[in-house]
Amino acid sequence: MKNQKTYSLPVSPFAWLCAIMLLCCSFGKLHAQAVKTTAPVKKDTSKIKDTTAAAPGVKKTSYVKNTFEGNYLIDEQTVMVPIKGTFEFDIQHRFGTVEHGTTDLFGIFASATMRLGFSYVPVNNLQIGFGGTNEKMQVDGNVKYALLKQTKSGSMPVSITYYGDVAADTRKKDNTTLFVSTSDRFSYFNQILIARKFSDALSIQAGPNLSHFNNLQGYLDASGNVMPILKNDNFGISFSGRFKISDESALIANYDQPLTQNPANNPHPNLSFGIEMKTSGHDFEIFVGNYSSLIPQNNFVYNQNDFKKGQFLIGFNISRLWNF
């Protein structure tokens, strides 16, 4: 397209608001102090009978465990936040699309996208992470906080978790990157994950989300006005599920649907399915799907792989956990 211009907006207020709310939630705690009273002591205590009734015990809330096996379900995060002190190392890989057949061995010999990531749980219910991918030389930081947890009694029927990610394009500034200022390198992703474990075998999750890019391509119309190709803010929703077929393995599936209508180049939805294998310290997933990126906002805004045309690709996730 000729006469391309950059089209940028300030950082989304929604992104900053979510970050501030998360910090407040993660470090604010309520403390209650119990006051104990002592009855007056009489001289002949042996003749005094204790008629005070024992205080009823406070029943501890019991939460549903292992709604999912780990942090990832194909291309999506799950509601799960590991226990305090958990350190996790992730390897994610996406091959090329299979549409060229044996020419590139169904995408295995094509250009691939890779990401290495780390995460740690410093306090209960809060996970922070960092990663890097070869796609646009992006680095990202992320945070996940468990807001509510499904209870065994049914008093809370679902688990709800917030997930946020900020990514920076670290490529050198040139004619292809279109960076005007440092803020143009940044993009953001905010998601609320809602899940329920229906049985030991079946768990379902939904996740409405918002992606924001500070800088996107535009063009000049006949009057010389800058017009956007894609909107800076894009809404979407994802649906995920797991069905266990044994103690160590499960069938997994995911569907992602962009909701925002852009002036041009609307992204395609993602349909993916595969198998998950779990051990005490490892989680391995292998699957086929349409998403080739490993940064969620890139997938929801840029994906052009169409499952209706058979543009699937093979991918896998490997997670290794340690507890300190």
Side-chain angles (χ1 to χ4, degrees), residues 216-235:
L216 292 169
Q217 285 187 330
Y219 67 96
L220 294 176
D221 64 8
S223 301
N225 298 317
V226 178
M227 304 298 293
I229 295 176
L230 295 167
K231 295 181 180 179
N232 292 79
D233 292 300
N234 285 258
F235 290 92

Side-chain angles (χ1 to χ4, degrees), residues 125-269:
N125 302 322
L126 174 66
Q127 177 180 277
I128 54 177
F130 175 81
T133 175
N134 61 336
E135 182 187 14
K136 300 180 181 178
M137 302 297 291
Q138 288 177 301
V139 295
D140 71 292
N142 52 77
V143 62
K144 186 155 67 168
Y145 186 76
L147 300 170
L148 296 171
K149 296 181 181 180
Q150 182 181 347
T151 59
K152 291 182 178 180
S153 66
S155 59
M156 175 51 63
V158 297
S159 296
I160 302 177
T161 297
Y162 166 80
Y163 176 75
D165 180 88
V166 55
D169 188 330
T170 65
R171 290 177 297 171
K172 183 179 179 181
K173 182 178 179 180
D174 57 26
N175 293 331
T176 63
T177 55
L178 303 176
F179 299 134
V180 176
S181 62
T182 301
S183 66
D184 292 336
R185 297 177 179 271
F186 289 89
S187 61
Y188 307 86
F189 183 77
N190 292 281
Q191 186 173 40
I192 296 295
L193 300 162
I194 306 167
R196 176 173 173 81
K197 186 175 182 180
F198 290 91
S199 66
D200 289 338
L202 179 63
S203 297
I204 301 294
Q205 175 179 281
N209 58 73
L210 170 65
S211 302
H212 175 86
F213 283 80
N214 284 350
N215 182 51
L216 292 169
Q217 285 187 330
Y219 67 96
L220 294 176
D221 64 8
S223 301
N225 298 317
V226 178
M227 304 298 293
I229 295 176
L230 295 167
K231 295 181 180 179
N232 292 79
D233 292 300
N234 285 258
F235 290 92
I237 190 168
S238 64
F239 300 95
S240 307
R242 181 199 67 169
F243 185 82
K244 295 188 69 174
I245 54 178
S246 72
D247 290 339
E248 295 82 20
S249 58
L251 300 177
I252 52 178
N254 187 67
Y255 179 77
D256 301 282
Q257 178 63 58
L259 299 177
T260 299
Q261 291 296 308
N262 288 277
N265 297 341
N266 273 310
H268 291 292

Side-chain angles (χ1 to χ4, degrees), residues 32-183:
Q33 182 180 8
V35 179
K36 183 178 180 181
T37 59
T38 304
V41 179
K42 296 183 179 181
K43 292 182 179 180
D44 189 5
T45 57
S46 61
K47 296 182 180 181
I48 299 177
K49 296 182 179 181
D50 185 6
T51 58
T52 304
V58 178
K59 188 176 181 180
K60 186 178 180 180
T61 303
S62 182
Y63 298 106
V64 171
K65 296 182 179 180
N66 300 326
T67 302
F68 296 99
E69 294 296 345
N71 275 316
Y72 289 97
L73 193 70
I74 306 181
D75 295 297
E76 289 296 319
Q77 289 281 329
T78 70
V79 293
M80 301 300 295
V81 175
I83 63 174
K84 179 182 176 181
T86 299
F87 176 81
E88 181 173 324
F89 172 55
D90 301 304
I91 302 173
Q92 298 171 272
H93 196 103
R94 305 292 184 269
F95 294 102
T97 55
V98 302
E99 58 185 339
H100 300 295
T102 57
T103 302
D104 56 6
L105 196 58
F106 301 97
I108 293 178
F109 294 153
S111 298
T113 307
M114 297 164 286
R115 179 181 180 273
L116 300 179
F118 306 87
S119 63
Y120 184 68
V121 183
V123 296
N124 290 331
N125 302 322
L126 174 66
Q127 177 180 277
I128 54 177
F130 175 81
T133 175
N134 61 336
E135 182 187 14
K136 300 180 181 178
M137 302 297 291
Q138 288 177 301
V139 295
D140 71 292
N142 52 77
V143 62
K144 186 155 67 168
Y145 186 76
L147 300 170
L148 296 171
K149 296 181 181 180
Q150 182 181 347
T151 59
K152 291 182 178 180
S153 66
S155 59
M156 175 51 63
V158 297
S159 296
I160 302 177
T161 297
Y162 166 80
Y163 176 75
D165 180 88
V166 55
D169 188 330
T170 65
R171 290 177 297 171
K172 183 179 179 181
K173 182 178 179 180
D174 57 26
N175 293 331
T176 63
T177 55
L178 303 176
F179 299 134
V180 176
S181 62
T182 301
S183 66

